[in-house]
Amino acid sequence: MSSTVRRAGLAVVAATLALAGAVYGVTRAPAANAAAQLTAPQLVADMGAGWNLGNQLEANANGIPSETAWGNPVITQALIDRVKASGFKTIRIPISYLGKIGAAPNYTVDSAWLNRIQEVVNYAYNSGLYVLINMHGDGYKSVTGSWLICDASDQTTIKAKYQKVWQQVATKFASYNDHLIFESMNEEFDGQYGNPTQPCYSNIVAYNQIFVDTVRKTGGTNASRWLLIPGWNTNIEYTTGSYGFSLPTDAYRSSSIPSGEQRLMISVHYYDPWDFTGQEDGNITQWGAAATNSAKKSTWGQEDYMDSTLKKMYDTFVTKGYPFFVGEYGSIDKTSADPANNTYRANFAKALVATAKKYGGASAYWDNGYNGQYGFGLFNRSSNTVTQQGIISAIMTAAGGTSPTTPPVTPSPSKTPGSPSPTTSTSSPGGTGTCRVVNAVNAWNTGLTNSITITNTGSTAINGWSLVFTLPAGQTITGGWNATYSPTSGTVTATNASYNGNLAPGGSATIGYQASHTGNAAAPTGFKLNGSTCS
């Protein structure tokens, strides 16, 4: 999101042509070695529904980062708890450094600022959420003190400064597990929305390479951590087309990562059509097939356009093992002009999440903390309450998860949001046994992932379990996590891992697998846990 902001906190998107995508699934508690365990489809499923803590740590006053400078209150654990309780599994935290960076040659980042960043990261990370942090506002020409400018003359100094800042940030978080993801930069371009220019795009590609090399060389989990790489202005067309984008090499990553797996994701945004999502007037307030007034609906950018655009990410990157992340999407509140606007905002969010999930990406809704006319807010950050339950529910429906309206007393780290495409998340058929099973299928052309949540509904603990189920004809398991699976087709037995075999009454475990299919991507049936039929 652009640094141009309303003092009330509304950020204006810096991409009239920005395009994007999304995906959802299962969350589990962080584990120290998780980075080496998740393949790209597993990561995308695990990240679940995402949300942006926008207009806070990238806010600034005269070039000095300040989290309250754009009208939001101080970030609290209570806010993050409310976001998690609403069903979100990933939080993207945009961050500016600007005047908090010292002089050459060390470019030392202010220690108090790094500590505050770490404190906010910990609010989410210690709650078992995925967290993405980036360099968000340092590349906007409109911001006082900006310096990461791709068409500036002294690129040698810019690249040295960029390397030193990321070295410090990566070192600060080197011990954090794979639930922390770094994004090299945000909406980086030279301030114009047309075709990318050279050598500006070449410098963006160079920044990405510096970022990857620097993070990897700091060691620890950073050697295998997932890293998020943007193209020109996080624009899908300019990232997938022949405009100058190229992926960085990853020569310094951990040798423990299988050679056939990637640890890079592609960062894109999606705000099309802009006259609906971001233009501050009351002219275009409806979107999608359900629109009832053609005069209030844009002439482009509907479901078919969204599908074809996100498919470009699948064709260009996902097929090669690189997942994508729609780091921002959403639409502003125009209910002052059309009371039905929130319905279409929810429809837009639901379609984006479902379509991107279909093509192998994850996503995070852009929330700038501003509620009311032209705001993106889903929460009131002062009272830690929900303001747009309809949009949240639409996101969770598309993600396959649930959206409670009050925080759980004891949040369960294994609660599973699903991803029902083309199937829906449903309980397995059967009687009223001592177990309950919920599927979350995320399918694409010839493959799928399925996350399965097993809950002990009995009154006694289960110490060691095996779950038997039958795969639909034509499905074959090609990999799995949190359980062992045998055989790989037909009637399968999933046996607990060493760390999840004990289920207290009411306790749950989440397991999952990736499978190929020949056209039938339905969920398995006939679940039995230790011989008991599951409901």
Side-chain angles (χ1 to χ4, degrees):
M1 184 65 71
S2 165
S3 63
T4 304
V5 297
R6 297 168 55 94
R7 287 304 174 187
L10 174 60
V12 177
V13 180
T16 302
L17 299 176
L19 308 171
V23 164
Y24 300 93
V26 51
T27 293
R28 63 173 183 274
N33 62 349
Q37 296 177 346
L38 294 182
T39 63
Q42 293 164 3
L43 174 72
V44 165
D46 215 30
M47 288 175 69
W51 176 82
N52 270 275
L53 182 63
N55 277 29
Q56 294 249 225
L57 295 190
E58 88 273 23
N60 75 88
N62 298 317
I64 305 299
S66 170
E67 68 186 89
T68 60
W70 291 351
N72 280 305
V74 171
I75 304 160
T76 64
Q77 180 70 62
L79 171 64
I80 304 306
D81 290 345
R82 166 54 69 183
V83 173
K84 178 180 178 180
S86 295
F88 290 98
K89 305 301 180 184
T90 293
I91 293 182
R92 180 176 182 257
I93 303 175
I95 300 169
S96 290
Y97 294 90
L98 299 168
K100 295 292 187 181
I101 304 172
N106 294 326
Y107 299 107
T108 302
V109 179
D110 178 73
S111 60
W113 185 237
L114 274 180
N115 288 339
R116 177 55 178 161
I117 292 168
Q118 183 179 45
E119 185 175 31
V120 174
V121 167
N122 286 346
Y123 292 159
Y125 178 86
N126 291 337
S127 298
L129 301 176
Y130 277 92
V131 184
L132 290 95
I133 60 174
N134 66 7
M135 186 176 287
H136 199 86
D138 295 61
Y140 294 132
K141 289 182 177 179
S142 59
V143 171
T144 301
S146 61
W147 55 273
L148 189 65
I149 308 301
C150 66
D151 62 350
S153 58
D154 189 0
Q155 287 296 313
T156 299
T157 297
I158 289 172
K159 291 171 183 176
K161 187 173 183 178
Y162 182 71
Q163 189 275 332
K164 287 294 186 183
V165 174
W166 266 117
Q167 184 179 51
Q168 294 169 75
V169 174
T171 299
K172 184 78 170 179
F173 293 100
S175 65
Y176 285 56
N177 70 24
D178 68 323
H179 275 60
L180 180 64
I181 296 171
F182 298 153
E183 179 182 25
S184 67
M185 52 197 163
N186 174 77
E187 294 179 353
E188 176 64 25
F189 67 125
D190 69 351
Q192 56 86 32
Y193 297 103
N195 289 345
T197 56
Q198 298 294 338
C200 197
Y201 212 150
S202 296
N203 288 327
I204 291 171
V205 170
Y207 301 159
N208 282 332
Q209 187 65 65
I210 293 168
F211 164 73
V212 171
D213 290 346
T214 299
V215 171
R216 294 292 189 230
K217 289 179 180 179
T218 59
T221 308
N222 290 336
S224 58
R225 186 180 309 286
W226 283 90
L227 303 178
L228 191 56
I229 308 299
W232 180 279
N233 203 19
T234 59
N235 180 292
I236 290 180
E237 179 63 32
Y238 297 150
T239 303
T240 60
S242 300
Y243 295 92
F245 177 78
S246 62
L247 282 164
T249 60
D250 201 0
Y252 301 102
R253 76 177 194 176
S254 172
S255 60
S256 67
I257 303 303
S259 59
E261 293 185 16
Q262 313 301 337
R263 282 295 183 273
L264 302 179
M265 306 174 69
I266 314 304
S267 175
V268 292
H269 295 173
Y270 195 97
Y271 291 108
D272 286 329
W274 180 247
D275 52 5
F276 170 75
T277 64
Q279 190 167 303
E280 294 189 2
D281 58 34
N283 296 330
I284 303 299
T285 60
Q286 300 187 10
W287 181 90
T292 59
N293 187 341
S294 60
K296 292 183 175 294
K297 178 180 175 179
S298 181
T299 58
W300 71 289
Q302 306 304 305
E303 289 96 338
D304 56 344
Y305 179 87
M306 180 184 287
D307 188 277
S308 63
T309 299
L310 296 179
K311 186 177 184 296
K312 293 178 182 179
M313 295 301 295
Y314 175 83
D315 292 340
T316 307
F317 298 112
V318 177
T319 57
K320 299 176 179 65
Y322 298 95
F324 66 93
F325 183 70
V326 186
E328 297 179 17
Y329 72 92
S331 55
I332 60 175
D333 188 337
K334 300 182 185 180
T335 53
S336 59
D338 181 353
N341 174 241
N342 280 340
T343 296
Y344 302 105
R345 296 176 69 203
N347 290 349
F348 176 85
K350 182 178 180 180
L352 186 284
V353 170
T355 307
K357 178 176 66 176
K358 170 183 173 182
Y359 289 121
S363 72
Y365 178 91
W366 178 257
D367 185 330
N368 59 4
Y370 178 57
N371 292 281
Q373 188 178 37
Y374 307 143
F376 280 95
L378 301 182
F379 300 90
N380 182 314
R381 298 186 188 179
S382 295
S383 61
N384 303 316
T385 55
V386 172
T387 59
Q388 293 289 346
Q389 185 61 53
I391 296 175
I392 294 174
S393 295
I395 291 170
M396 298 307 156
T397 297
T402 57
S403 179
T405 56
T406 57
V409 176
T410 305
S412 172
S414 60
K415 186 176 180 67
T416 304
S419 27
S421 174
T423 61
T424 57
S425 296
T426 58
S427 297
S428 62
T432 56
T434 58
C435 54
R436 182 175 65 252
V437 168
V438 176
N439 289 287
V441 176
N442 172 36
W444 57 94
N445 294 344
T446 60
L448 62 85
T449 59
N450 185 20
S451 297
I452 303 172
T453 297
I454 311 160
T455 301
N456 176 11
T457 58
S459 58
T460 59
I462 296 174
N463 298 308
W465 50 262
S466 60
L467 181 71
V468 177
F469 55 86
T470 301
L471 291 173
Q475 289 189 17
T476 301
I477 293 176
T478 58
W481 54 97
N482 294 347
T484 56
Y485 300 84
S486 180
T488 57
S489 60
T491 299
V492 178
T493 298
T495 304
N496 67 270
S498 60
Y499 51 83
N500 64 0
N502 295 327
L503 298 178
S508 298
T510 298
I511 65 174
Y513 60 82
Q514 183 174 351
S516 61
H517 68 84
T518 57
N520 184 355
T525 58
F527 288 92
K528 290 187 177 183
L529 185 69
N530 291 355
S532 295
T533 300
C534 297
S535 59

